[in-house]
Amino acid sequence: MLIKKKPSWDKFNHNDVTPEEVYQQRRHLLKQIGFLGAGTLLSFPAQAGLWDLFSDDKSSEHFKQAGLNFKKQPAYDQWIYGDETPEAKVISHNNFYEFGTSKTDPIDNAQSFQVSPWQLRIEGEVERPMVLDYDALFRLFPLEERIYNFRCVEAWSMVIPWIGFSLADILKKVGVTSKATHVVFETLYDPEQMPGQKNRFVGGGVAYPYVEGLTLAEAMTELTFLSVGLYGKTLPPQNGAPVRLVVPWKYGFKSIKSVVTIRVTDKQPPTSWNRLAPNEYGFYANVNPKVDHPRWSQASERRIGQGGLFSAKRINTLPFNGYGDMVGDLYKGLNLKVNF
Ligand SMILES: Nc1nc2c(c(=O)[nH]1)N[C@H]1C(S)=C(S)[C@@H](COP(=O)(O)O)O[C@H]1N2
Ligand SMILES: [Mo]
């Protein structure tokens, strides 16, 4: 399948995207020749060299043409190259209620969404507040590619190759004050562009702007990612362009899209889904197969893009979505059934 498009949100000029099969085959080959196993043994330049053997990949050129590069991060890849959910699924099966509540509404309704100019404010309990414009999002910090498992509270999941940087990089740059305990995130509020913000039936009853929050410790942990791209390209609008949070050990609703404000605070903030249905969606929202949603089990998940034609493969859900070794310590002594 040749995915050919040049939508308005695509600010960095590029040509046709590599046909998906070629991309997958190349990754399969890398896997076969032990690129990933070797990745832990080889120095980074050696890994990069090996990757370059296959670098007719237009999708990474997309970033390169803009003078941008990203470093692959095998350390996070319990999900190896070749395991990713097909790009076509990642960009067409979305939750982004600002553009409508069905899975295909975001791809259908978000294509003219303006992502540039953009301003991301970092404010509140910080020593040096900052405003990042569109270009700064891509240039201020070294970009990394990380393949993360992504688990929606609705019990479907995908494996997604994100590009971005750790939220901690920004927080270190602005310097949080001694009062800081939590971090709040807000999506753009622009009802003219986002039909769901104009009409509560389209927007699923959420009070906009969409807001999310983390504890400071969660925000500072390396795994917490600000994504500006996926599959080697800038984010499509339906996935939260130009910048969105990715918190892979939490249910997907924590991974707020199209962020304009990051505010460091001294108290736990209200969050969109918790406000709407507090008995169903907690503040923590850590992926937990042992704590069911009141209306369905969380013990397993449908892996989108894998399995048969009509039914996705069902796999067991892991505590903290498989990232317990990296984040479990954050919750020592906390009752996860009460603090769901
Ligand atoms: N602003 C905003 N962010 C959002 C949402 C939303 O409706 N609005 N949906 C959330 C939910 S429920 C999920 S599962 C993920 C989906 O991300 P994806 O479409 O990139 O897979 O985005 C999250 N971030
Ligand atoms: Mo979700």
Side-chain angles (χ1 to χ4, degrees):
M1 181 192 352
L2 185 64
I3 306 168
K4 245 191 184 181
K5 58 176 168 191
K6 205 167 184 339
S8 60
W9 46 266
D10 206 347
K11 301 296 169 190
F12 298 129
N13 207 26
H14 72 122
N15 302 318
D16 301 332
V17 166
T18 308
E20 193 171 303
E21 297 94 296
V22 176
Y23 188 82
Q24 292 296 354
Q25 277 164 18
R26 186 163 43 235
R27 293 193 158 202
H28 183 69
L29 186 56
L30 285 167
K31 197 164 146 184
Q32 297 243 299
I33 62 175
F35 174 77
L36 275 149
T40 51
L41 302 172
L42 296 176
S43 64
F44 177 70
Q47 288 177 41
L50 192 48
W51 181 260
D52 282 346
L53 278 178
F54 302 93
S55 67
D56 60 328
D57 188 336
K58 286 276 194 338
S59 61
S60 36
E61 251 171 55
H62 176 70
F63 265 61
K64 279 185 193 136
Q65 278 179 11
L68 300 165
N69 225 324
F70 54 87
K71 182 169 140 185
K72 311 224 164 243
Q73 282 293 16
Y76 300 94
D77 301 347
Q78 36 188 319
W79 312 95
I80 57 179
Y81 291 111
D83 286 345
E84 303 94 334
T85 304
E87 181 182 6
K89 291 276 185 203
V90 176
I91 66 169
S92 66
H93 177 281
N94 300 101
N95 277 333
F96 200 168
Y97 278 22
E98 284 86 337
F99 293 101
T101 56
S102 94
K103 294 287 177 282
T104 49
D105 282 344
I107 193 171
D108 290 343
N109 300 333
Q111 297 313 311
S112 58
F113 183 60
Q114 287 302 307
V115 300
S116 177
W118 193 265
Q119 289 198 322
L120 170 60
R121 295 177 180 279
I122 304 104
E123 57 185 40
E125 292 297 336
V126 300
E127 311 283 356
R128 298 169 294 277
M130 278 181 77
V131 183
L132 303 187
D133 67 9
Y134 183 83
D135 282 333
L137 294 172
F138 298 88
R139 294 177 195 281
L140 207 56
F141 304 101
L143 298 173
E144 300 172 15
E145 181 180 70
R146 298 186 187 181
I147 303 179
Y148 279 167
N149 190 14
F150 189 87
R151 169 63 158 80
C152 175
V153 75
E154 298 163 337
W156 53 263
S157 66
M158 296 187 187
V159 175
I160 304 177
W162 302 106
I163 295 168
F165 49 90
S166 287
L167 174 65
D169 292 347
I170 281 197
L171 295 179
K172 283 177 198 152
K173 198 164 182 86
V174 296
V176 304
T177 72
S178 58
K179 286 191 193 154
T181 61
H182 289 79
V183 183
V184 193
F185 306 84
E186 267 178 34
T187 294
L188 178 72
Y189 182 71
D190 186 353
E192 290 309 313
Q193 289 204 79
M194 294 170 150
Q197 293 179 337
K198 217 178 204 169
N199 179 320
R200 68 192 175 93
F201 296 105
V202 178
V206 174
Y208 294 105
Y210 194 103
V211 286
E212 258 308 333
L214 298 172
T215 66
L216 185 63
E218 291 174 333
M220 290 302 288
T221 201
E222 216 185 333
L223 209 53
T224 304
F225 205 53
L226 281 176
S227 168
V228 295
L230 58 79
Y231 261 103
K233 289 163 254 173
T234 49
L235 287 177
Q238 61 270 29
N239 292 88
V243 59
R244 59 92 57 89
L245 189 67
V246 182
V247 195
W249 74 96
K250 292 179 180 283
Y251 291 121
F253 65 85
K254 299 295 289 184
S255 292
I256 181 172
K257 296 178 169 180
S258 304
V259 176
V260 290
T261 309
I262 297 176
R263 188 179 306 115
V264 181
T265 65
D266 58 0
K267 54 181 97 53
Q268 182 176 306
T271 55
S272 285
W273 281 98
N274 180 248
R275 208 154 51 183
L276 202 63
N279 60 321
E280 300 187 0
Y281 310 104
F283 174 78
Y284 285 96
N286 292 322
V287 174
N288 191 339
K290 294 207 178 107
V291 176
D292 287 336
H293 186 279
R295 291 182 279 133
W296 59 84
S297 165
Q298 295 292 26
S300 66
E301 64 206 52
R302 287 183 307 118
R303 180 49 63 78
I304 303 290
Q306 287 182 16
L309 203 51
F310 300 107
S311 61
K313 186 162 105 183
R314 198 164 263 286
I315 57 173
N316 288 333
T317 290
L318 297 171
F320 300 110
N321 208 21
Y323 299 98
D325 54 336
M326 300 187 76
V327 297
D329 281 354
L330 293 172
Y331 308 102
K332 278 243 168 77
L334 195 72
N335 182 333
L336 297 173
K337 284 199 159 75
V338 178
N339 299 282
F340 60 89

